[in-house]
Amino acid sequence: MLKCLKPYTLPIKTIIKTKERKNNFLVLGFFLLAFYACSKKESKFSDQQVFRYNEHSNITSLDPAFAKDQRNIWAVNQLYNGLVELDDSLHVKPAIAKSWTISEDGKNYEFTLRGDVYFHKHQLFGKDSTRTVKAKDFEYSFNRLLDKNVVSPGGWVLQNVESFQAKNDSVFTINLKQPFPPFLGLLAMKYCSVMPKEAVEYFGNRFRANPIGTGPFQFKLWVENTKLVLRKNPLYFEKDTQGKQLPYLEAVAVTFLPDKQSEFLQFIQGNIDFMKSLDASYKDDILNTDGTLKEKYADKIIMQTGSYLNTEYLGIYLDGEKSLPTQSKLIRQAINYGFDREKMITYLRNGIGTPATSGFIPKGLPSFNNQEGYLYQPQKAKELVEEYKAISGNNTPQITITTNSNYLDLCEFIQRELQKIGLDTKVDVIPPSTLRQGKASGKLPIFRASWIADYPDAENYVSLFYSKNFTPNGPNYTHFKNEKFDELYEQSIQEVNIDKRYQLYQKMDSIIIKEAPIVPLYYDEVIRFSQKNVKGLGINPIDLLNLKKVSKQ
């Protein structure tokens, strides 16, 4: 039997117009009618207490062990907590662990847990319907993350861990194989969330759709591809600075309209509270060319922008056929010099983003040092192409850039520019899933990609070029290999002194600039649009959605 919950969603008539989702929205209509019937009898809260946003792709799992993509991470972040968390400045803060100590050699961590953290209420917990979180729960959750039968994509987070154990109910210890200074930031990832053994074992494979965590919101309803509803957790342990219990909102409602233009129209009409990105289909309607909000929206919506730990780039696969022009450093450097990043950002991104002229490590990280990368030098690019022709005997070098439709405009701009320097350039557009598979399997000589930081340390970026991380065993999609780079990388992951570690990162970034296994395009920015009545919606360089302090006025 459905429990009473007043609905907050897009108008049914508008939703059903999307033909490919018609059946799903008919199902949603059934649920909405049921909820509405209940709400007529018992109206507990108003529209001002529900936060509504849209996801373009369906959430695949509400299990933190599978919180790989942003769509999953955002939902899981409302449902679960870990030992620690990151604030909007990316500082590590206590969560379920109220304090911790680290040994002098940087290898041993001891966490002391809070005693007032409860799992979401459920009949699985017996008469009291809940229980407190204990250190054994973290021991179980970490073992599950490493369980090969679970096949979690997040097992790598614990690859540097020698052992972990519950010392007692309130103390959890972790021992590393070697010092790894970014480790606390890794523990803030949603993979490391705590979950109750009772629920995971009871639901089995269905745990993905029956989540039980400790977060500010608890699970209510999920109709895949259609609707996700979360409700306020009345037992949540955190309070604001005035001592008021979090969260402020009563519910979160997520819809799954796939069309970004439709999402924009729903946002402008006030049917959703928040829009998380900028799309080519409406960017010129909402923004001026300098990246400012158009005057007609200035008094209606709020725009927030900030640094984003995301570098957009073209990757070049270096283990391909030796006859390919991109196997030559001359051609790779020519591509880097051959197009105007400033112009690309101004006219194709409406000024949102920073041209990537300083290597791979993005703005927003302390180790970003604004070193000299590739500026627009078309004459130098032409000379490099001519030098390649003379050495190789290939007078008509051809390259193909593979992308998905979302970045077609950028790749076509680069195509036109590279034609001018003597490179016969083609653009191949394929579905996002095919692009991911081709990138991972080495089937694409040049592929458009992005790298969003999982944790706030540049190790997350330089690890893409460490030779022991070749795909499929790691994120080295280009199969770049350089002995000096590997040596510096191995030094950096053991260096406890933060300034020395940053210097090592910068030296590695310089090698990437010189050898050009990639073509950095731009350092992205977080851009968020919200209704005027939304308060407390922060912004952070990893674009994590935190709703526990959000309210609507």
Side-chain angles (χ1 to χ4, degrees):
M1 180 177 178
L2 290 169
K3 295 183 179 179
C4 294
L5 175 66
K6 189 176 179 180
Y8 298 93
T9 184
L10 304 178
I12 294 176
K13 290 182 180 178
T14 301
I15 294 175
I16 293 179
K17 289 180 181 178
T18 308
K19 293 181 180 179
E20 62 270 27
R21 296 286 176 93
K22 185 173 182 179
N23 290 336
N24 286 334
F25 288 129
L26 289 174
V27 174
L28 174 59
F30 166 77
F31 278 105
L32 295 180
L33 290 172
F35 287 148
Y36 183 73
C38 289
S39 66
K40 294 283 283 184
K41 299 175 183 177
E42 183 183 8
S43 180
K44 291 184 178 180
F45 52 89
S46 69
D47 179 67
Q48 298 301 314
Q49 295 169 290
V50 181
F51 187 85
R52 304 158 301 175
Y53 75 93
N54 184 65
E55 277 289 357
H56 306 117
S57 301
N58 186 39
I59 291 171
T60 59
S61 177
L62 297 173
D63 181 342
F66 297 90
K68 180 181 180 181
D69 303 311
Q70 188 186 69
R71 52 187 169 168
N72 290 9
I73 292 171
W74 278 17
V76 165
N77 191 48
Q78 317 313 321
L79 293 164
Y80 294 90
N81 298 100
L83 291 165
V84 296
E85 63 186 13
L86 300 175
D87 65 13
D88 280 349
S89 299
L90 302 187
H91 297 131
V92 178
K93 298 293 183 182
I96 296 178
K98 61 182 179 181
S99 62
W100 57 86
T101 58
I102 306 172
S103 62
E104 287 188 11
D105 64 4
K107 293 170 65 176
N108 304 312
Y109 292 68
E110 184 170 288
F111 297 89
T112 301
L113 309 188
R114 299 175 63 119
D116 59 348
V117 182
Y118 297 88
F119 286 113
H120 298 152
K121 280 194 171 185
H122 196 280
Q123 61 186 12
L124 283 170
F125 299 119
K127 182 176 66 173
D128 296 326
S129 298
T130 186
R131 67 170 177 83
T132 56
V133 173
K134 298 177 181 178
K136 278 284 186 185
D137 295 310
F138 278 101
E139 188 175 295
Y140 170 76
S141 299
F142 280 28
N143 276 318
R144 181 172 180 263
L145 198 60
L146 295 172
D147 188 343
K148 292 181 180 179
N149 293 321
V150 175
V151 199
S152 167
W156 65 270
V157 172
L158 302 178
Q159 65 184 352
N160 195 40
V161 173
E162 181 72 40
S163 63
F164 50 82
Q165 65 171 339
K167 199 171 182 180
N168 53 48
D169 283 353
S170 59
V171 177
F172 183 65
T173 61
I174 302 175
N175 301 310
L176 304 185
K177 299 173 185 176
Q178 60 187 20
F180 187 65
F183 184 64
L184 274 177
L186 274 176
L187 289 179
M189 295 180 66
K190 301 319 296 180
Y191 289 133
C192 299
S193 301
V194 70
M195 61 199 76
K197 180 179 180 180
E198 303 97 310
V200 177
E201 292 189 347
Y202 175 78
F203 287 111
N205 292 334
R206 294 181 295 119
F207 183 71
R208 64 177 287 278
N210 293 274
I212 298 176
T214 60
F217 297 92
Q218 58 192 20
F219 177 72
K220 182 65 179 180
L221 166 75
W222 183 22
V223 181
E224 293 195 47
N225 285 310
T226 304
K227 185 76 172 181
L228 172 67
V229 178
L230 310 177
R231 287 294 308 274
K232 179 177 182 174
N233 174 14
L235 300 177
Y236 192 58
F237 62 92
E238 286 192 87
K239 297 180 179 179
D240 65 15
T241 54
Q242 281 73 47
K244 184 176 180 180
Q245 187 180 15
L246 300 174
Y248 302 133
L249 295 165
E250 285 290 340
V252 177
V254 186
T255 50
F256 297 95
L257 276 174
D259 182 60
K260 294 185 179 183
Q261 178 69 23
S262 298
E263 178 192 54
F264 173 66
L265 294 174
Q266 292 298 323
F267 176 71
I268 294 304
Q269 292 169 14
N271 294 322
I272 55 178
D273 299 303
F274 166 75
M275 196 169 63
K276 65 178 180 178
S277 59
L278 186 68
D279 188 68
S281 64
Y282 59 77
K283 67 179 178 62
D284 293 327
D285 184 54
I286 196 170
L287 293 183
N288 297 307
T289 54
D290 62 356
T292 57
L293 201 60
K294 290 255 175 136
E295 187 177 350
K296 64 180 177 179
Y297 296 120
D299 62 344
K300 297 178 181 178
I301 62 176
I302 297 170
M303 182 178 77
Q304 295 172 286
T305 59
S307 295
Y308 187 17
L309 299 188
N310 174 32
T311 300
E312 298 283 343
Y313 67 100
L314 300 180
I316 300 172
Y317 186 64
L318 301 181
D319 263 352
E321 297 177 22
K322 298 304 177 185
S323 59
L324 290 172
T326 47
Q327 295 297 308
S328 169
K329 184 166 69 172
L330 295 170
I331 293 298
R332 299 197 301 269
Q333 290 180 334
I335 295 171
N336 270 289
Y337 283 122
F339 65 100
D340 190 339
R341 292 168 174 82
E342 295 272 358
K343 185 177 179 182
M344 180 180 72
I345 292 296
T346 299
Y347 294 105
L348 298 181
R349 294 274 304 168
N350 289 67
I352 301 299
T354 303
T357 57
S358 302
F360 191 63
I361 297 174
K363 290 182 68 177
L365 283 175
S367 45
F368 175 81
N369 71 341
N370 206 30
Q371 61 187 315
E372 184 177 340
Y374 291 97
L375 299 175
Y376 180 45
Q377 298 186 50
Q379 185 56 41
K380 187 167 186 175
K382 288 179 183 178
E383 292 169 0
L384 289 167
V385 172
E386 291 302 318
E387 186 178 349
Y388 167 78
K389 289 179 180 179
I391 294 173
S392 67
N394 181 358
N395 292 320
T396 57
Q398 295 182 341
I399 63 172
T400 299
I401 301 172
T402 306
T403 183
N404 60 40
S405 58
N406 290 335
Y407 294 85
L408 178 59
D409 56 345
L410 294 177
C411 292
E412 286 183 337
F413 170 79
I414 295 170
Q415 176 189 30
R416 290 190 295 270
E417 296 294 291
L418 297 184
Q419 299 280 16
K420 298 174 185 176
I421 66 168
L423 278 178
D424 183 4
T425 307
K426 297 180 180 179
V427 176
D428 187 15
V429 182
I430 60 178
S433 59
T434 309
L435 178 61
R436 286 193 296 269
Q437 292 168 4
K439 181 177 67 171
S441 60
K443 294 179 179 178
L444 307 175
I446 307 178
F447 52 86
R448 194 222 61 85
S450 59
W451 191 255
I452 303 172
D454 292 315
Y455 48 94
D457 190 280
E459 188 276 337
N460 202 218
Y461 286 86
V462 295
S463 67
L464 265 72
F465 306 100
Y466 183 48
S467 64
K468 293 182 180 179
N469 283 341
F470 278 9
T471 50
N473 299 318
N476 189 341
Y477 296 104
T478 64
H479 281 208
F480 174 76
K481 185 174 183 179
N482 180 283
E483 288 184 8
K484 181 61 177 175
F485 184 96
D486 286 353
E487 179 185 324
L488 292 170
Y489 177 81
E490 288 166 2
Q491 287 180 35
S492 72
I493 61 175
Q494 298 186 58
E495 180 56 66
V496 177
N497 182 289
I498 193 168
D499 293 326
K500 290 181 180 178
R501 195 164 81 251
Y502 288 169
Q503 290 173 14
L504 292 169
Y505 291 155
Q506 290 164 1
K507 288 179 181 179
M508 284 183 272
D509 208 13
S510 296
I511 293 174
I512 296 305
I513 291 172
K514 180 180 178 182
E515 298 299 322
I518 59 166
V519 181
L521 302 178
Y522 61 91
Y523 312 121
D524 208 354
E525 288 185 2
V526 178
I527 182 166
R528 294 182 169 185
F529 302 97
S530 58
Q531 304 293 349
K532 279 283 188 179
N533 65 335
V534 174
K535 307 298 178 184
L537 184 65
I539 191 167
N540 53 77
I542 57 174
D543 198 16
L544 182 65
L545 184 64
N546 291 308
L547 295 178
K548 61 188 176 185
K549 294 184 179 179
V550 170
S551 62
K552 290 170 66 177
Q553 299 177 4

